[in-house]
Short mmCIF file of all heavy atoms in Angstrom, two decimals:
data_model
loop_
_atom_site.label_atom_id
_atom_site.label_comp_id
_atom_site.label_asym_id
_atom_site.label_seq_id
_atom_site.Cartn_x
_atom_site.Cartn_y
_atom_site.Cartn_z
N THR A 25 106.77 177.28 73.65
CA THR A 25 107.09 175.98 73.05
C THR A 25 107.15 176.25 71.51
O THR A 25 106.38 177.02 71.04
CB THR A 25 105.94 175.02 73.37
OG1 THR A 25 106.12 174.53 74.75
CG2 THR A 25 105.96 173.72 72.55
N TYR A 27 106.05 174.97 68.23
CA TYR A 27 104.94 174.05 67.76
C TYR A 27 105.14 173.69 66.28
O TYR A 27 105.18 174.57 65.50
CB TYR A 27 103.62 174.70 68.00
CG TYR A 27 103.32 175.05 69.41
CD1 TYR A 27 103.41 176.24 69.97
CD2 TYR A 27 102.79 174.00 70.25
CE1 TYR A 27 103.17 176.53 71.22
CE2 TYR A 27 102.56 174.21 71.56
CZ TYR A 27 102.73 175.48 72.10
OH TYR A 27 102.47 175.79 73.39
N ARG A 79 110.47 173.96 74.94
CA ARG A 79 109.92 172.60 74.64
C ARG A 79 109.67 172.60 73.08
O ARG A 79 109.46 173.71 72.52
CB ARG A 79 108.57 172.38 75.37
CG ARG A 79 107.86 171.09 75.08
CD ARG A 79 106.73 170.87 76.12
NE ARG A 79 107.29 170.63 77.47
CZ ARG A 79 107.69 169.41 77.91
NH1 ARG A 79 107.44 168.33 77.14
NH2 ARG A 79 108.29 169.34 79.07
N LEU A 80 109.58 171.40 72.54
CA LEU A 80 109.30 171.14 71.18
C LEU A 80 108.04 170.30 71.21
O LEU A 80 108.05 169.26 71.80
CB LEU A 80 110.46 170.52 70.59
CG LEU A 80 110.60 170.18 69.12
CD1 LEU A 80 110.25 171.44 68.28
CD2 LEU A 80 112.02 169.70 68.73
N CYS A 81 107.02 170.64 70.33
CA CYS A 81 105.84 169.85 70.29
C CYS A 81 105.47 169.53 68.90
O CYS A 81 105.45 170.36 67.99
CB CYS A 81 104.72 170.65 70.95
SG CYS A 81 103.07 169.88 70.61
N PHE A 82 105.29 168.21 68.63
CA PHE A 82 104.90 167.74 67.24
C PHE A 82 103.40 167.36 67.35
O PHE A 82 103.02 166.51 68.07
CB PHE A 82 105.71 166.60 66.97
CG PHE A 82 107.13 166.81 66.65
CD1 PHE A 82 108.10 166.63 67.59
CD2 PHE A 82 107.52 167.32 65.29
CE1 PHE A 82 109.41 166.91 67.30
CE2 PHE A 82 108.92 167.53 65.10
CZ PHE A 82 109.81 167.37 66.07
N GLN A 83 102.66 168.05 66.50
CA GLN A 83 101.21 167.72 66.32
C GLN A 83 101.20 166.88 65.13
O GLN A 83 101.48 167.31 63.96
CB GLN A 83 100.38 168.98 66.05
CG GLN A 83 100.36 169.95 67.27
CD GLN A 83 99.57 169.44 68.39
OE1 GLN A 83 98.55 168.88 68.15
NE2 GLN A 83 99.97 169.71 69.57
N SER A 109 107.44 166.94 73.23
CA SER A 109 106.07 166.39 73.38
C SER A 109 105.58 166.01 72.02
O SER A 109 105.88 166.58 71.00
CB SER A 109 105.09 167.43 73.99
OG SER A 109 105.42 167.83 75.24
N ILE A 110 104.82 164.88 72.06
CA ILE A 110 104.19 164.44 70.77
C ILE A 110 102.63 164.33 71.01
O ILE A 110 102.30 163.72 71.98
CB ILE A 110 104.62 163.11 70.32
CG1 ILE A 110 106.16 162.94 70.29
CG2 ILE A 110 104.08 162.60 69.03
CD1 ILE A 110 106.64 161.47 69.99
N SER A 111 101.89 164.84 70.08
CA SER A 111 100.42 164.61 70.15
C SER A 111 100.18 163.83 68.87
O SER A 111 100.23 164.37 67.76
CB SER A 111 99.71 165.92 70.11
OG SER A 111 98.31 165.75 70.09
N ARG A 130 107.06 163.72 76.70
CA ARG A 130 105.74 163.39 77.03
C ARG A 130 104.99 163.03 75.76
O ARG A 130 105.26 163.45 74.73
CB ARG A 130 105.04 164.66 77.66
CG ARG A 130 105.72 165.22 78.87
CD ARG A 130 104.85 166.29 79.52
NE ARG A 130 103.64 165.68 79.93
CZ ARG A 130 103.35 165.21 81.19
NH1 ARG A 130 104.28 165.17 82.07
NH2 ARG A 130 102.17 164.73 81.43
N ILE A 131 103.90 162.22 75.97
CA ILE A 131 103.09 161.96 74.84
C ILE A 131 101.59 162.27 75.16
O ILE A 131 101.15 162.06 76.24
CB ILE A 131 103.09 160.49 74.36
CG1 ILE A 131 104.47 160.17 73.87
CG2 ILE A 131 101.95 160.10 73.40
CD1 ILE A 131 104.66 158.67 73.36
N ASN A 132 100.90 162.97 74.19
CA ASN A 132 99.52 163.37 74.46
C ASN A 132 98.63 162.31 73.82
O ASN A 132 98.79 161.93 72.65
CB ASN A 132 99.18 164.65 73.73
CG ASN A 132 97.71 164.87 73.76
OD1 ASN A 132 97.00 164.95 74.79
ND2 ASN A 132 97.09 165.12 72.53
N THR A 170 99.94 163.19 78.76
CA THR A 170 99.05 164.33 78.67
C THR A 170 97.81 164.00 77.95
O THR A 170 97.78 163.13 77.19
CB THR A 170 99.83 165.47 77.93
OG1 THR A 170 100.95 165.78 78.66
CG2 THR A 170 98.91 166.82 77.81
N HIS A 172 94.52 165.98 76.04
CA HIS A 172 93.78 167.23 75.59
C HIS A 172 92.24 166.94 75.89
O HIS A 172 91.74 165.91 75.47
CB HIS A 172 93.98 167.50 74.07
CG HIS A 172 95.40 167.92 73.66
ND1 HIS A 172 95.69 168.14 72.42
CD2 HIS A 172 96.48 168.05 74.43
CE1 HIS A 172 96.97 168.53 72.32
NE2 HIS A 172 97.44 168.53 73.56
N ALA A 199 95.29 168.97 79.54
CA ALA A 199 95.37 170.19 78.78
C ALA A 199 94.09 170.63 78.32
O ALA A 199 93.43 169.89 77.51
CB ALA A 199 96.37 169.97 77.60
N PHE A 201 91.21 172.88 76.46
CA PHE A 201 90.98 173.74 75.32
C PHE A 201 89.59 174.28 75.29
O PHE A 201 88.69 173.51 75.82
CB PHE A 201 91.27 172.97 73.97
CG PHE A 201 92.64 172.58 73.77
CD1 PHE A 201 93.25 171.49 74.49
CD2 PHE A 201 93.46 173.16 72.83
CE1 PHE A 201 94.51 171.10 74.31
CE2 PHE A 201 94.72 172.75 72.57
CZ PHE A 201 95.30 171.71 73.31
N THR A 271 97.07 175.18 80.36
CA THR A 271 97.55 173.98 81.01
C THR A 271 97.94 172.94 79.93
O THR A 271 97.71 173.06 78.82
CB THR A 271 96.33 173.33 81.79
OG1 THR A 271 95.19 173.20 80.82
CG2 THR A 271 95.96 174.10 82.96
N GLY A 272 98.77 171.95 80.44
CA GLY A 272 99.26 170.97 79.49
C GLY A 272 100.70 170.57 79.88
O GLY A 272 101.11 170.67 81.09
N CYS A 273 101.53 170.13 78.95
CA CYS A 273 102.87 169.82 79.21
C CYS A 273 103.62 171.12 79.73
O CYS A 273 103.17 172.29 79.40
CB CYS A 273 103.52 169.38 77.93
SG CYS A 273 102.75 168.02 77.07
N PRO A 274 104.65 170.95 80.54
CA PRO A 274 105.36 172.13 81.03
C PRO A 274 105.81 173.03 79.93
O PRO A 274 106.23 172.61 78.83
CB PRO A 274 106.57 171.49 81.71
CG PRO A 274 106.20 170.11 82.08
CD PRO A 274 105.26 169.69 81.04
N CYS A 276 104.01 174.88 77.90
CA CYS A 276 103.17 174.87 76.73
C CYS A 276 102.17 176.06 76.95
O CYS A 276 101.34 175.92 77.93
CB CYS A 276 102.44 173.54 76.53
SG CYS A 276 101.24 173.67 75.25
N ASN A 277 102.22 177.07 76.20
CA ASN A 277 101.29 178.15 76.45
C ASN A 277 100.32 178.46 75.29
O ASN A 277 99.37 179.30 75.42
CB ASN A 277 102.01 179.45 76.85
CG ASN A 277 102.92 180.11 75.74
OD1 ASN A 277 103.25 179.35 74.84
ND2 ASN A 277 103.26 181.32 75.88
N ARG A 278 100.51 177.80 74.11
CA ARG A 278 99.52 177.90 73.00
C ARG A 278 98.85 179.24 72.90
O ARG A 278 97.63 179.32 72.82
CB ARG A 278 98.47 176.81 73.22
CG ARG A 278 98.95 175.42 73.45
CD ARG A 278 97.77 174.43 73.29
NE ARG A 278 96.80 174.45 74.37
CZ ARG A 278 96.93 173.93 75.54
NH1 ARG A 278 97.96 173.21 75.87
NH2 ARG A 278 95.92 174.04 76.41
S1 SF4 B 1 99.83 170.13 75.99
FE1 SF4 B 1 100.95 171.49 74.53
S2 SF4 B 1 103.11 170.68 74.36
FE2 SF4 B 1 101.67 169.07 75.23
S3 SF4 B 1 101.07 167.88 73.50
FE3 SF4 B 1 99.49 169.41 73.87
S4 SF4 B 1 100.02 171.22 72.57
FE4 SF4 B 1 101.86 169.84 72.75
#
Side-chain angles (χ1 to χ4, degrees):
T25 286
Y27 297 100
R79 175 166 297 270
L80 185 52
C81 170
F82 289 96
Q83 298 286 321
S109 293
I110 306 174
S111 179
R130 303 192 62 93
I131 290 181
N132 168 59
T170 297
H172 292 179
F201 291 74
T271 51
C273 306
C276 170
N277 66 341
R278 308 189 295 276

